[in-house]
Amino acid sequence: MASDNTKDKSKSPWNDPYADPYISIENITKKFGDFTAVDNVSLKIYKNELFCLLGGSGCGKSTLLRMLAGFENPTSGRILLDGQDMAGIYPYDRPVNMMFQSYALFPHMTIEKNVAFGLHQDGMHKGEIRKRVADMLELVKLEDFAKRKPHQLSGGQRQRVALARSLIKQPKLLLLDEPLGALDKKLRENTQFELMNLQEELGITFVVVTHDQEEAMTLSSRIGIMDSGKIVQVGTPNEIYEYPGTRYVADFIGSINLFDGNVVEDEADHVRIQSEDTDATLYIDHGVAVTEGSRVGVAVRPEKMKLTRNRPDQADNVAEGIIDEVAYMGNLSVYRVRLKSGKIVKATLPNLDRDTEQFDWDEQVYVSWKPKSGLVLLS
């Protein structure tokens, strides 16, 4: 799902103006006293999506998830699931299940009994329960652990038990609140791909809440970034990373270098900006339709910056500086460069070979980038 580069984006339902959303969140607001946790949010999520709500602590993403589950009622607005208004429908009557960060497994029950719990509560026939549990444990690769108890499993295995228990009732929608937060980094990376494969195999719509940018970029078909109770941008991982709509999004997703300046030339095919941060003008290969003199920001990702010892043969998008810090990360090296203006910028260079040339501390260098590498931000 996350590798949207391999799919025909024109066929994605969110690009089809006639496609019906599976989940419609319409002008939802949630207040707790005088505090507005979710502020007039509207969002469309489509069937079989793996949609991530991403944002910092307190941005409203978990509150929005709880309203989808029915654990909180909106102050105003409405939520439709597959065309049905969810107003007044209790959590246990919704075709929705939720997987919590803590997993909330019953410690005294075996794995198979944990997974079967919801089916027993529904009064399903024992023979059907056994079959459904066996199929689900096989799907999450835990069939050999059916008789164990949660404390006998690793963190990743407990996560899969919680996932199996959430999926066994075949909900129309699965909500996951920081589902991988309790796992260590390496296990979390492996489990991300397991979760994606499982979602695609089952065809169930997933909505995931996370504060981890890398996790959202890996998992999702689309990301909705939240800040102060509002959705500030929705897009595919590629769109969010390469075309952030605001300074907040640019700074929140990945690493970014931001240069402030004034527009000195704006044409249909380019814009030129004079910045006090650099000793050359900034040239971007797209217009922005603003008046000359307007104050704007220019965003450039560190991996799009080039380091050289000699000044490159270009008039724009170049700055001289001294290397302040170096971090060798194995697959890449990270350089923090102090420009003559005093501004610190970051450049990341791939280590393609064992003898890839490295730069040293206090070395004088030039930072440069291509016209298509920068993006003008108006807010």
Side-chain angles (χ1 to χ4, degrees):
M1 290 289 291
S3 56
D4 55 278
N5 292 331
T6 65
K7 298 185 178 182
D8 184 354
K9 294 180 186 179
S10 65
K11 295 181 180 178
S12 300
W14 51 87
N15 290 323
D16 180 357
Y18 301 105
D20 292 324
Y22 198 55
I23 303 165
S24 289
I25 297 170
E26 300 178 355
N27 306 113
I28 284 290
T29 294
K30 178 61 181 180
K31 293 186 176 184
F32 296 97
D34 294 332
F35 174 69
T36 302
V38 176
D39 189 0
N40 195 33
V41 165
S42 293
L43 185 63
K44 294 179 179 180
I45 300 172
Y46 295 86
K47 194 168 186 177
N48 301 339
E49 265 207 269
L50 203 165
F51 190 95
C52 280
L53 287 168
L54 174 65
S57 297
C59 71
K61 58 188 186 298
S62 290
T63 301
L64 185 56
L65 198 76
R66 290 177 62 82
M67 286 191 283
L68 281 169
F71 299 139
E72 299 285 354
N73 293 317
T75 304
S76 61
R78 65 175 189 163
I79 296 171
L80 284 79
L81 174 58
D82 199 13
Q84 182 181 7
D85 194 334
M86 292 289 104
I89 299 179
Y90 293 108
Y92 50 81
D93 287 331
R94 298 188 181 200
V96 176
N97 225 331
M98 187 163 178
M99 178 178 155
F100 297 93
Q101 183 178 357
S102 65
Y103 306 151
L105 301 178
F106 299 112
H108 63 288
M109 290 185 182
T110 63
I111 299 312
E112 62 183 359
K113 288 184 178 179
N114 262 283
V115 174
F117 182 79
L119 301 183
H120 281 296
Q121 292 292 101
D122 289 347
M124 183 178 286
H125 188 273
K126 289 183 179 180
E128 179 62 20
I129 291 176
R130 281 195 298 270
K131 183 180 183 306
R132 292 268 290 271
V133 170
D135 289 345
M136 185 56 66
L137 290 178
E138 183 179 0
L139 186 65
V140 297
K141 301 179 178 62
L142 288 174
E143 61 267 36
D144 294 336
F145 299 86
K147 301 300 181 184
R148 295 191 187 185
K149 292 186 177 178
H151 74 274
Q152 296 173 304
L153 302 184
S154 68
Q157 289 167 336
R158 288 197 294 272
Q159 189 263 358
R160 280 185 276 159
V161 174
L163 188 59
R165 188 177 63 181
S166 299
L167 291 170
I168 199 164
K169 292 180 68 174
Q170 300 173 345
K172 287 185 175 181
L173 172 64
L174 181 63
L175 309 174
L176 301 99
D177 189 6
E178 302 280 2
L180 310 181
L183 306 182
D184 62 64
K185 180 176 174 58
K186 203 169 193 71
L187 184 56
R188 188 164 65 244
E189 290 173 353
N190 292 334
T191 308
Q192 286 170 4
F193 289 100
E194 290 181 4
L195 190 61
M196 290 159 58
N197 291 335
L198 187 62
Q199 188 270 341
E200 193 158 346
E201 184 173 346
L202 293 171
I204 294 174
T205 305
F206 282 20
V207 177
V208 179
V209 155
T210 181
H211 68 278
D212 188 313
Q213 298 96 322
E214 185 177 323
E215 184 170 294
M217 295 285 283
T218 302
L219 285 175
S220 60
S221 55
R222 288 188 304 151
I223 300 169
I225 296 183
M226 294 193 69
D227 180 38
S228 302
K230 296 179 180 291
I231 295 280
V232 293
Q233 188 169 350
V234 176
T236 66
N238 176 268
E239 290 166 348
I240 293 287
Y241 187 81
E242 297 292 354
Y243 303 99
T246 65
R247 287 172 177 263
Y248 176 81
V249 175
D251 193 44
F252 188 78
I253 293 289
S255 184
I256 198 77
N257 296 302
L258 280 169
F259 302 94
D260 290 307
N262 297 314
V263 174
V264 295
E265 184 181 345
D266 185 20
E267 302 293 341
D269 62 345
H270 73 272
V271 61
R272 187 173 269 113
I273 294 151
Q274 185 70 52
S275 173
E276 59 271 23
D277 294 328
T278 66
D279 49 7
T281 53
L282 310 181
Y283 183 93
I284 314 297
D285 68 351
H286 62 82
V288 290
V290 297
T291 58
E292 289 187 11
S294 296
R295 190 74 173 168
V296 297
V298 174
V300 187
R301 296 288 183 189
E303 70 274 10
K304 293 175 171 53
M305 290 190 143
K306 184 179 180 181
L307 287 185
T308 57
R309 292 185 172 89
N310 298 316
R311 185 181 179 95
D313 186 20
Q314 60 187 73
D316 304 303
N317 301 341
V318 62
E320 183 181 352
I322 300 291
I323 293 179
D324 257 12
E325 296 178 50
V326 181
Y328 179 79
M329 310 296 288
N331 62 325
L332 54 83
S333 293
V334 180
Y335 299 93
R336 286 169 57 89
V337 181
R338 184 181 299 275
L339 303 184
K340 290 173 67 175
S341 64
K343 183 178 182 63
I344 301 291
V345 299
K346 183 187 289 187
T348 58
L349 305 183
N351 296 319
L352 302 176
D353 300 298
R354 288 194 178 93
D355 57 354
T356 296
E357 183 181 31
Q358 301 290 319
F359 295 88
D360 293 326
W361 285 267
D362 299 326
E363 190 170 358
Q364 179 180 311
V365 294
Y366 291 90
V367 181
S368 60
W369 61 94
K370 297 177 180 178
K372 65 181 180 180
S373 297
L375 182 74
V376 176
L377 298 175
L378 303 179
S379 61

